[in-house]
Amino acid sequence: MNKITDDILSRVEKPVRYIGGELNSVIKDKNNVEVRFAFAFPDVYEVGMSHLGTKILYNTLNNREDTYCERVFAPWPDMEEEMRKGDIPLYTLETKDSLREFDIIGFTLQYEMSYTNILNMLDMAGIPLRASERGKEYPLIIAGGPCAYNPEPLYDIFDAFQLGEGEEAINDIIDAYKANRNNSKEELLLELSQLEGVYVPSLYDVKYNEDGTICEFTGKNPKVPNKIKKRLINNFDQSEFPEKLIVPFTEVVHDRVVLEVFRGCTNGCRFCQAGMLYRPVREKKLNTLQDQARTLLKNTGYEEVSLTSLSTCDYSDIQNLVNTLILEHGPNNVGIALPSIRVDAFSVDLINEIQKVRKTGLTFAPEAGSQRMRDVINKGLTEEKILEAARNAFLAGWSTLKLYFMIGLPNETLEDCRAIGELAEKIADEYFKIPKHMRNKGLKITVSTSIFVPKAFTPFQFAPMATIPEVVEKIKAVKSSIKSRSIYYNYHETEVSYLESVFARGDRRLCDVLIKAYEKGARFDGWTEYFNNKYWMEALEECQVDGDFYAYRDRSYEEILPWDFIDIGVNRSYLIKENEKAKEALLTQNCRIGCTGCGINVNFKEGKCFEGAILN
């Protein structure tokens, strides 16, 4: 290993994070490839190795003979200290080479509070933080993922952003890089900007009004597009998917085979960014999923298959899929997990089939306690359905249940917050209505509330976030409404959510704030033990940037938003209409019942959204 001695590894927590060599990791001769690509996940190894997108793109890139993709994760602070002390640059797991030796470094942006880790990873590799200060001698630094849909706070960190699904786009980027690598960096970036779904921020200018809102967003070169259209995989059933998954030496967050059953969502929840970004719905065929499960279990030795999507129970043939997987793999003690269950899609028969092999945890996400708030967010879920699902779960043998809610939603009152605890109490009552001889011992209901953060490209992108004093009061309201000893309440930090909100809807002026906070010591801001709000408040003040302008301000429908140059296929007029319906607590039907006119059918000619047929 390159400078990483056993002595160093013995002094850090979980040294297996840094050694590589796992089953199914790819080994190539680095001297026999044309492009070296470092896939960077800006969080700790256990989190990054659980991310399906990382696994898909690692497979896609390494299927190319001309490219070698390696992995790098954010080192935990104890390892960072050892590496800086020993003057060891940040390295990839496969070859242990410094990131400086790579042609392209690609970061995935999953969470706004991981941004300082990106800066730390670049700094530990000896790479300037600002794109404007990096010449051709440095790797090309690119990014993708959900947070890339508002790339502006990172505009001077990355050379380019890839917007949309990456399986095909990443190949186009590699090809364009190869064809232009001998040109100047400016010429390379201009060529990249011609690819659908690629945004090069240095090729655009932004002007502001006196009130701080955006006045104008224009390209510096007539060749660059005015709108960046997201990339979309049309034939999802035939898209590349790994036949092998890397099996870590240590336990990770999701330690199992992960099967992506479909992309997109038809439910139309107004708070959900993913539900808007990943439209239209595209499903994989039953036999495709069966083949992939069979291959991956053989090549990994895992004992569980997780069926993943935004709402897995909405898969059109979910009962048959679960039954056939259990029939084939159950005798080998392989369990099936459904991590995302809509309460109204819950089937006691389905869950009973799953627990025949291995009982898994059960999580419902009502999102809001009162019926009015569930209508405001377009959850399309009644209290009767929630209680029926809980009753069915208890009858099927469950006595442990997790419930997820949000507080701080637009138009929410303290009474709506108290309704969260009241709903949990009603669910607990359903358990005690069951005859004693039919109950499992020890009811435990865990209620978790997260603070709602408005995101780009949702109907609530125009709404202000709840202030910290308001959130504190709402948490107290939930606490006061919980009486049963069987109900436990967890809630999130308000200061972290505030900063997440600032960056989720921020603009270019936040880039200086990010760098300043990092220079003060900000790292792992999504981890409670390392988050330091003082760094961020000082950075905002020193950069003369008002965080409240981004977090607490109600946007007008006429305002130019920092992400308005991106085309996700969903019309702005649709988001405005949905925001107005939220104010009246009016529901919009599920797309599977009939088209709701979001615009995806018109803007993406490859196929149409789910209307009794899948886009394949």
Side-chain angles (χ1 to χ4, degrees):
M1 293 178 63
N2 183 19
K3 294 187 180 180
I4 307 300
T5 63
D6 289 344
D7 186 47
I8 290 175
L9 293 175
S10 70
R11 294 196 295 268
V12 301
E13 180 184 346
K14 297 185 180 179
V16 292
R17 293 167 170 166
Y18 312 108
I19 61 176
E22 309 99 317
L23 177 68
N24 296 331
S25 57
V26 176
I27 301 300
K28 292 186 179 183
D29 184 348
K30 64 184 181 183
N31 298 311
N32 286 336
V33 295
E34 297 179 61
V35 179
R36 298 192 67 190
F37 190 106
F39 194 102
F41 196 99
D43 210 322
V44 72
Y45 175 91
E46 295 95 302
V47 175
M49 282 301 296
S50 300
H51 178 237
L52 180 59
T54 300
K55 299 171 183 178
I56 291 173
L57 293 180
Y58 181 81
N59 171 78
T60 298
L61 288 166
N62 280 319
N63 278 345
R64 296 178 61 121
E65 291 186 3
D66 61 355
T67 303
Y68 189 11
C69 177
E70 304 180 41
R71 297 161 296 140
V72 60
F73 302 93
W76 200 242
D78 59 353
M79 185 61 167
E80 178 190 344
E81 181 181 355
E82 293 290 340
M83 292 175 70
R84 289 191 182 277
K85 191 174 11 177
D87 196 27
I88 302 169
L90 186 61
Y91 60 88
T92 58
L93 294 184
E94 280 73 7
T95 61
K96 313 302 184 296
D97 285 342
S98 165
L99 294 188
R100 276 288 304 270
E101 298 181 34
F102 285 76
D103 300 301
I104 304 174
I105 303 173
F107 283 85
T108 180
L109 307 179
Q110 297 294 316
Y111 179 40
E112 290 85 356
M113 300 315 295
S114 68
Y115 288 175
T116 51
N117 283 356
I118 296 169
L119 302 185
N120 196 40
M121 292 170 77
L122 292 176
D123 183 67
M124 289 186 68
I127 298 172
L129 303 184
R130 293 185 181 271
S132 56
E133 297 174 359
R134 293 195 297 267
K136 189 181 175 183
E137 69 274 20
Y138 291 101
L140 183 74
I141 313 296
I142 65 175
C147 291
Y149 282 96
N150 180 22
E152 292 298 87
L154 300 167
Y155 89 101
D156 198 25
I157 307 299
F158 290 101
D159 297 307
F161 294 86
Q162 190 270 306
L163 304 172
E165 294 163 350
E167 292 97 323
E168 295 173 356
I170 196 66
N171 284 316
D172 292 344
I173 291 172
I174 297 294
D175 291 340
Y177 176 83
K178 285 174 56 181
N180 296 277
R181 67 187 307 167
N182 294 324
N183 297 334
S184 67
K185 184 176 180 181
E186 292 73 19
E187 291 171 322
L188 168 62
L189 291 176
L190 183 59
E191 288 302 314
L192 287 175
S193 74
Q194 306 305 295
L195 300 175
E196 185 177 75
V198 175
Y199 168 55
V200 179
S202 62
L203 299 179
Y204 295 84
D205 271 328
V206 181
K207 295 180 182 178
Y208 301 91
N209 296 307
E210 288 186 8
D211 64 359
T213 59
I214 293 173
C215 170
E216 192 177 28
F217 181 90
T218 55
K220 297 179 182 178
N221 189 301
K223 289 186 177 180
V224 299
N226 294 323
K227 280 270 190 180
I228 312 297
K229 188 177 181 180
K230 76 173 183 182
R231 287 294 289 266
L232 178 73
I233 299 295
N234 181 24
N235 193 339
F236 182 56
D237 185 67
Q238 298 299 316
S239 63
E240 282 201 60
F241 198 78
E243 292 188 353
K244 297 180 178 180
L245 299 175
I246 297 175
V247 181
F249 291 127
T250 186
E251 185 177 354
V252 297
V253 178
H254 299 303
D255 219 2
R256 59 185 74 100
V257 166
V258 178
L259 282 187
E260 189 179 16
V261 297
F262 67 86
R263 280 190 192 165
C265 187
T266 60
N267 294 310
C269 298
R270 294 176 179 130
F271 61 86
C272 182
Q273 186 185 47
M276 299 294 167
L277 293 181
Y278 300 136
R279 294 185 179 204
V281 166
R282 291 143 293 154
E283 292 190 349
K284 286 184 180 177
K285 295 174 183 176
L286 179 65
N287 62 347
T288 300
L289 294 168
Q290 291 169 327
D291 290 343
Q292 290 177 350
R294 192 177 299 120
T295 300
L296 287 169
L297 288 170
K298 177 183 176 182
N299 290 333
T300 62
Y302 279 128
E303 296 181 341
E304 186 172 81
V305 176
S306 178
L307 305 178
T308 185
S309 73
L310 293 178
S311 183
T312 301
C313 282
D314 287 334
Y315 179 68
S316 58
D317 200 9
I318 185 64
Q319 189 84 46
N320 197 20
L321 174 61
V322 169
N323 289 343
T324 56
L325 289 177
I326 289 176
L327 185 64
E328 180 176 357
H329 305 291
N332 296 322
N333 200 34
V334 172
I336 307 298
L338 297 175
S340 55
I341 300 174
R342 270 181 64 86
V343 179
D344 54 343
F346 181 80
S347 163
V348 68
D349 294 332
L350 184 63
I351 217 70
N352 270 331
E353 282 298 313
I354 290 174
Q355 72 166 343
K356 285 178 182 177
V357 179
R358 186 182 299 115
K359 181 167 284 190
T360 59
L362 195 57
T363 301
F364 291 159
E367 310 292 3
S370 69
Q371 189 59 52
R372 187 185 75 85
M373 281 311 301
R374 286 193 293 274
D375 292 345
V376 165
I377 64 178
N378 202 45
K379 189 67 180 174
L381 186 61
T382 65
E383 182 174 292
E384 182 182 359
K385 286 182 178 178
I386 295 170
L387 296 180
E388 180 186 5
R391 184 164 55 251
N392 288 340
F394 296 145
L395 286 169
W398 265 268
S399 58
T400 301
L401 184 62
K402 294 181 180 179
L403 301 172
Y404 283 133
F405 298 89
M406 288 182 289
I407 56 173
L409 287 158
N411 312 308
E412 182 183 67
T413 66
L414 289 178
E415 188 60 37
D416 293 317
C417 295
R418 281 189 281 271
I420 292 173
E422 292 165 1
L423 178 59
E425 293 282 353
K426 291 176 183 177
I427 289 173
D429 289 343
E430 292 297 324
Y431 175 82
F432 292 109
K433 288 178 184 177
I434 298 171
K436 282 188 177 182
H437 70 276
M438 297 178 65
R439 300 181 209 157
N440 268 352
K441 293 182 179 179
L443 174 66
K444 181 179 179 182
I445 297 175
T446 302
V447 172
S448 296
T449 59
S450 62
I451 301 167
F452 171 67
V453 174
K455 298 279 183 168
F457 295 111
T458 68
F460 291 156
Q461 67 178 2
F462 307 101
M465 180 187 176
T467 65
I468 289 179
E470 288 171 341
V471 168
V472 170
E473 286 302 307
K474 292 182 177 191
I475 289 173
K476 288 179 181 177
V478 177
K479 281 184 179 179
S480 67
S481 65
I482 296 174
K483 311 297 182 185
S484 172
R485 293 183 179 180
S486 301
I487 302 174
Y488 303 82
Y489 179 39
N490 298 326
Y491 52 92
H492 292 285
E493 295 292 330
T494 53
E495 293 172 338
V496 174
S497 297
Y498 171 79
L499 284 167
E500 181 186 343
S501 177
V502 168
F503 278 89
R505 293 186 294 173
D507 55 37
R508 293 188 172 195
R509 291 169 289 193
L510 286 172
C511 192
D512 291 342
V513 176
L514 173 64
I515 292 174
K516 181 72 72 174
Y518 166 71
E519 290 172 345
K520 289 177 176 292
R523 308 274 196 288
F524 284 101
D525 297 292
W527 295 75
T528 304
E529 61 265 48
Y530 288 107
F531 175 73
N532 189 325
N533 194 53
K534 180 171 174 283
Y535 296 148
W536 289 99
M537 295 302 102
E538 289 177 353
L540 285 164
E541 183 177 355
E542 291 172 21
C543 293
Q544 298 183 338
V545 172
D546 180 11
D548 293 1
F549 175 82
Y550 303 103
Y552 297 146
R553 186 170 55 86
D554 203 349
R555 277 87 169 150
S556 77
Y557 292 146
E558 290 73 37
E559 180 177 334
I560 298 174
L561 302 174
W563 51 89
D564 275 347
F565 64 90
I566 298 171
D567 178 12
I568 69 163
V570 175
N571 294 330
R572 182 186 176 103
S573 59
Y574 176 79
L575 300 179
I576 292 172
K577 182 177 73 173
E578 286 296 298
N579 191 41
E580 288 299 311
K581 290 178 76 172
K583 294 175 183 177
E584 303 295 326
L586 298 175
L587 291 171
T588 297
Q589 69 183 9
N590 190 298
C591 300
R592 291 176 187 259
I593 298 173
C595 182
T596 59
C598 72
I600 197 76
N601 288 342
V602 176
N603 295 322
F604 285 86
K605 303 294 186 181
E606 294 91 337
K608 63 180 181 178
C609 204
F610 198 108
E611 291 179 282
I614 58 176
L615 182 65
N616 266 333

